[in-house]
Amino acid sequence: MARTAGSDGERTEAAIREAAVSLMARHGYEAMSMRQLAAEVGVQAAALYRYFPTKQDLLFTLLNEHMETLIAAWDAARPRNADPAVCLAAFVDNHIRFHVARRHSTHVSNMELRSLSHERLSHMLRLRARYEKELRQILREGAEDGSFVMEDVGLTAMAIIQMITGVIVWFRPDERLSVDEVTKSYLAMTLRLVGAAARETVNVPEHA
Amino acid sequence: MARTAGSDGERTEAAIREAAVSLMARHGYEAMSMRQLAAEVGVQAAALYRYFPTKQDLLFTLLNEHMETLIAAWDAARPRNADPAVCLAAFVDNHIRFHVARRHSTHVSNMELRSLSHERLSHMLRLRARYEKELRQILREGAEDGSFVMEDVGLTAMAIIQMITGVIVWFRPDERLSVDEVTKSYLAMTLRLVGAAARETVNVPEHA
DNA sequence: AGAAGAATAAAACAAACGTTCAATTCATTC
DNA sequence: GAATGAATTGAACGTTTGTTTTATTCTTCT
């Protein structure tokens, strides 16, 4: 009844994070008990508190890491000095691939914000706003230089985000469509949505 | 300690449903306690069990009612013998207005399916599949008669559903945009998304 | 006015919850 | 090989949970 053979702090913490994301994604934050999580890791519940002072701290750590990583990924992937259509394509591509690769933590990020304290919720919303601002910026430039057609920048940004994040709700990587195929289709839909028909999918309106 | 003056079964049940939807939407099904719900209704927790045998029965009742009502609303609103663009427009319009008017129960329907038992989950998924099939049918007809352009019917259906359901995540009826404006914009985006430019938003590709 | 049934309160149940504490073993360093 | 600190256990804490039971009051019908 004490330290177990071969135990290692770093490995245990990583195992906790991984199991927590999986359990929260499947059953929800409130439905996941610390004992259940401990059992999944193969450890007693008390051991969890060596790494995360409270259950909510654990949640916050996971959510924060998810958003920080997403922002960093976009920062690395975004084209510089490119025209709006290229930027938008890069944004959609990065967004879908990132979220598909992290289905579970994306689910948690979308569902469990309400379990955070007020300050931590604000912090997460700020990160989210910062990320969404990138998309609005692209859309605004495209609307100004005439390469995009849209009624409202903010509204279009929300519509696109909802659409491309929604991939993870139904997409399973082992089914009929590959990530590449899905990404390509969503990219085409997005470009049509903002009135920037890609060369290969141009459609000339019949009565024009 | 017993029946209170002016108490009425029907009114109490309606009050329970209403308070439950509101609490579940704001805090989540797991986070809502029966005592908290009872307090919101102005009743003791034990009284709830006169109307719903278990907490999960209460959830199921709400979810089921939501989906049945949605399907009934579409059945009443859908045009008969109309071309795909008209049908699609009607679908988007009905969907957005229905969900905006029922923000709370939509939230619950989207978030709390996982708290249902296996059989009840299956039942809800069947209802959802039946509803989504309507959209796929419209898209398929449009793809076949050439009025729509799309890569994949199923994928496009999911993208549209996610996009137009996502309205309730950010939309607040008391802000800068009215329901009519939002619906109109989303309708325009949807038509462009499937390559069926509405008359007033036709855009002729520059290089055509 | 009295009987019957509908609607609720109050109290209790065992189980599960997040969390804390002290004790104990493993790994590492000197 | 003894000492030190990191890692973990096992038991316990007080709350809160969903639910049940029993008793009581209100309403309605005759």
Side-chain angles (χ1 to χ4, degrees):
Chain A
M1 39 146 115
R3 178 168 192 173
T4 53
S7 60
D8 175 355
E10 284 194 31
R11 260 205 304 269
T12 303
E13 177 169 352
I16 294 174
R17 290 170 116 105
E18 196 175 339
V21 167
S22 171
L23 283 175
M24 286 186 196
R26 282 180 293 150
H27 309 309
Y29 168 78
E30 295 279 356
M32 179 201 77
S33 79
M34 296 300 269
R35 285 173 180 82
Q36 189 183 1
L37 171 57
E40 190 92 354
V41 177
V43 107
Q44 288 296 317
L48 303 175
Y49 290 83
R50 257 215 137 237
Y51 304 94
F52 303 96
T54 70
K55 188 183 180 188
Q56 201 210 117
D57 279 289
L58 170 55
L59 172 62
F60 178 72
T61 301
L62 299 176
L63 294 180
N64 195 46
E65 187 182 39
H66 179 85
M67 274 309 290
E68 301 267 15
T69 313
L70 171 61
I71 291 175
W74 168 240
D75 208 59
R78 81 136 157 258
R80 320 275 161 170
N81 303 327
D83 53 281
V86 173
C87 287
L88 180 57
F91 187 90
V92 171
D93 189 85
N94 180 254
H95 188 94
I96 292 183
R97 291 182 192 280
F98 183 92
H99 285 89
V100 164
R102 292 170 182 77
R103 277 186 48 223
H104 281 170
S105 66
T106 300
H107 248 114
V108 178
S109 288
N110 288 339
M111 314 265 294
E112 310 296 354
L113 282 177
R114 65 183 167 201
S115 295
L116 292 176
S117 68
H118 187 68
E119 302 108 46
R120 286 174 160 176
L121 172 61
S122 299
H123 179 253
M124 293 309 303
L125 292 181
R126 267 196 301 276
L127 287 185
R128 177 177 284 197
R130 197 210 297 182
Y131 179 68
E132 290 171 354
K133 193 176 177 182
E134 299 282 318
L135 175 58
R136 281 201 303 276
Q137 182 61 30
I138 295 171
L139 294 178
R140 189 172 301 110
E141 285 176 15
E144 283 170 1
D145 78 2
S147 45
F148 297 160
V149 174
M150 73 189 69
E151 294 77 28
D152 184 289
V153 170
L155 192 141
T156 305
M158 294 315 293
I160 292 177
I161 293 250
Q162 299 291 344
M163 181 177 83
I164 63 184
T165 304
V167 173
I168 64 147
V169 173
W170 57 269
F171 180 69
R172 294 296 174 276
D174 49 320
E175 285 186 2
R176 49 181 266 261
L177 294 170
S178 69
V179 184
D180 282 340
E181 289 169 322
V182 170
T183 305
K184 195 177 164 195
S185 288
Y186 269 76
L187 186 49
M189 288 191 283
T190 304
L191 290 176
R192 281 199 299 269
L193 172 47
V194 298
R199 267 155 209 85
E200 65 278 12
T201 54
V202 159
N203 70 304
V204 182
E206 300 165 358
H207 79 288
Chain B
M1 42 145 110
R3 179 168 193 174
T4 52
S7 61
D8 174 355
E10 283 193 32
R11 261 206 304 268
T12 303
E13 177 168 352
I16 294 174
R17 290 171 116 106
E18 196 175 338
V21 167
S22 171
L23 283 174
M24 286 186 195
R26 283 179 294 151
H27 309 310
Y29 168 78
E30 296 279 355
M32 179 202 77
S33 78
M34 296 299 269
R35 284 174 180 81
Q36 189 183 1
L37 171 58
E40 191 92 353
V41 177
V43 107
Q44 288 296 315
L48 304 175
Y49 289 83
R50 259 217 132 233
Y51 305 93
F52 303 96
T54 69
K55 189 184 179 186
Q56 201 209 117
D57 279 290
L58 170 56
L59 172 62
F60 177 72
T61 301
L62 299 176
L63 294 179
N64 195 47
E65 187 182 39
H66 179 85
M67 274 309 290
E68 301 268 15
T69 313
L70 171 60
I71 291 175
W74 168 240
D75 207 58
R78 81 137 158 257
R80 321 276 161 169
N81 304 326
D83 55 281
V86 173
C87 286
L88 180 57
F91 187 91
V92 170
D93 189 86
N94 181 254
H95 188 95
I96 293 183
R97 290 183 193 280
F98 183 92
H99 286 89
V100 164
R102 291 170 182 78
R103 277 185 49 223
H104 281 169
S105 67
T106 300
H107 248 115
V108 178
S109 289
N110 288 338
M111 313 265 292
E112 310 295 355
L113 282 177
R114 64 184 167 200
S115 295
L116 291 176
S117 68
H118 186 70
E119 302 107 46
R120 286 173 160 177
L121 173 60
S122 299
H123 179 253
M124 294 309 303
L125 292 181
R126 267 196 301 276
L127 287 186
R128 177 177 284 197
R130 198 209 299 180
Y131 179 68
E132 290 170 353
K133 192 176 178 183
E134 299 282 318
L135 175 57
R136 281 201 303 276
Q137 182 61 30
I138 295 171
L139 294 178
R140 190 172 301 112
E141 286 176 16
E144 284 171 2
D145 77 2
S147 46
F148 296 161
V149 175
M150 72 190 69
E151 294 77 26
D152 184 289
V153 170
L155 191 141
T156 305
M158 294 315 294
I160 292 176
I161 294 250
Q162 298 291 343
M163 181 177 84
I164 63 184
T165 305
V167 172
I168 63 146
V169 173
W170 57 268
F171 180 70
R172 294 296 174 275
D174 49 320
E175 285 186 4
R176 49 181 265 263
L177 294 169
S178 69
V179 184
D180 284 339
E181 290 168 322
V182 169
T183 305
K184 196 177 164 194
S185 288
Y186 268 76
L187 186 49
M189 289 192 282
T190 304
L191 291 175
R192 281 199 299 269
L193 171 47
V194 297
R199 267 156 208 86
E200 64 278 13
T201 54
V202 159
N203 68 305
V204 183
E206 299 164 1
H207 79 288

